[in-house]
Amino acid sequence: MRNIEHIGIAVKDLEAANKTYRAILGSEHYKTEAVESEGVITSFFKIGESKIELLAATNADSPIAKFLEKRGEGIHHIAFNVADIEKEISRLQGEGFTLLNETPKPGADNKIVAFMHPKNGHGVLVELCQERPEN
Ligand code: ZN
């Protein structure tokens, strides 16, 4: 694991949250991106080498909609930047952790990602992310 790539925050209203985080961070978000397969729309802010990823649901079946229903707005996941995601997945499995997806899948912001079950992280959903290889 290299560094915290981003912190994901589940929000109800992306426009309102953009406004809030623009005021907190003193900078403009640099990207809005939908991840259709996850039913989410994301907005990214840079803060040093890390980012804030705001996540809003695009449909009622979205994992974000379910999270908001259960827990309300707040921190949804912490994402760690890794050099070799396949290697990190095997390493974590070797440590006895449960991955929600054992094969990396496309994520927002040009990444491939894998998630680790929150029960493994003392209640925190952990995301591994690697820069998407050029092809
Ligand atoms: Zn994320």
Side-chain angles (χ1 to χ4, degrees):
M1 309 270 187
R2 287 169 156 172
N3 62 285
I4 294 179
E5 214 283 332
H6 63 269
I7 294 177
I9 301 174
V11 304
K12 288 180 186 160
D13 179 340
L14 196 62
E15 276 316 302
N18 271 337
K19 212 174 142 201
T20 304
Y21 277 87
R22 184 183 304 136
I24 292 171
L25 301 172
S27 62
E28 189 53 78
H29 72 131
Y30 68 92
K31 180 186 262 193
T32 302
E33 186 181 345
V35 183
E36 301 287 348
S37 58
E38 302 290 322
V40 303
I41 181 151
T42 64
S43 171
F44 283 90
F45 289 81
K46 258 197 183 74
I47 174 81
E49 67 174 5
S50 301
K51 296 161 191 163
I52 297 290
E53 174 185 33
L54 303 177
L55 303 136
T58 55
N59 65 62
D61 293 326
S62 158
I64 295 302
K66 297 199 167 102
F67 179 90
L68 288 169
E69 211 172 278
K70 243 165 74 179
R71 302 182 48 180
E73 290 187 303
I75 292 181
H76 177 262
H77 65 269
I78 296 182
F80 296 102
N81 184 18
V82 301
D84 181 340
I85 196 165
E86 310 264 4
K87 209 165 128 187
E88 285 296 335
I89 289 171
S90 320
R91 186 182 68 80
L92 291 168
Q93 286 173 327
E95 296 283 352
F97 296 117
T98 306
L99 275 293
L100 294 176
N101 57 300
E102 297 183 1
T103 309
K105 59 183 181 178
D109 204 29
N110 204 39
K111 298 288 191 299
I112 52 173
V113 303
F115 288 92
M116 204 175 80
H117 198 286
K119 73 170 189 256
N120 291 161
H122 295 262
V124 175
L125 177 64
V126 169
E127 175 183 353
L128 307 177
C129 61
Q130 183 196 319
E131 208 66 44
R132 197 174 296 169
E134 305 287 332
N135 50 10

